[in-house]
Amino acid sequence: QVRLQESGGDSVQAGGSLRLSCAATGINFSISNIAWYRQAPGKEREWVATTNSGGTTDYADSVKGRFIISRHQSRRIVYLQMNSLKSEDTAVYYCNTNSRGSTFWGQGTRVTVSS
């Protein structure tokens, strides 16, 4: 059974930091690409960052230089370290993966950045 569980969302002042976690079960973690997406109120869900099976990372332009995605292989957790947070980072953050031709999402964790 594939399951993704996000945690770590909180309220924080602009300029602060948070670290989100995505715990993955039911997948071959070592060969799976894991991505973070976010959805702000009234807006479309957008891609934020990806860590792929080859160990590389990719970031949306809006978060480059501020966010870091990483993976802990043995714990099967993907992290999103968010620094220098801005009010526009306020959103529900979701992790995502693909397995056997299907897409899976977690339930999301809410991040609120106040100015």
Side-chain angles (χ1 to χ4, degrees):
Q1 184 176 20
V2 177
R3 178 170 293 179
L4 303 175
Q5 179 64 60
E6 304 93 339
S7 61
D10 206 348
S11 296
V12 64
Q13 292 287 324
S17 298
L18 284 173
R19 189 176 73 166
L20 307 183
S21 298
C22 173
T25 58
I27 64 171
N28 189 336
F29 188 81
S30 65
I31 64 170
S32 297
N33 299 333
I34 308 292
W36 283 98
Y37 287 74
R38 66 187 182 187
Q39 187 166 21
K43 296 184 178 180
E44 298 287 336
R45 187 172 298 185
E46 64 176 345
W47 170 74
V48 175
T50 298
T51 174
N52 63 39
S53 60
T56 60
T57 58
D58 295 291
Y59 300 91
D61 288 342
S62 59
V63 306
K64 284 182 179 177
R66 299 189 298 121
F67 290 11
I68 301 171
I69 188 170
S70 62
R71 60 199 297 157
H72 195 294
Q73 297 286 9
S74 62
R75 295 180 180 178
R76 296 188 292 185
I77 297 175
V78 172
Y79 300 100
L80 185 68
Q81 177 67 46
M82 305 185 295
N83 302 312
S84 301
L85 284 162
K86 306 174 181 179
S87 59
E88 53 261 45
D89 296 319
T90 294
V92 177
Y93 285 72
Y94 301 88
C95 58
N96 160 273
T97 194
N98 296 314
S99 180
R100 301 183 182 91
S102 297
T103 299
F104 297 90
W105 298 90
Q107 294 300 305
T109 186
R110 186 176 300 275
V111 173
T112 301
V113 183
S114 60
S115 60

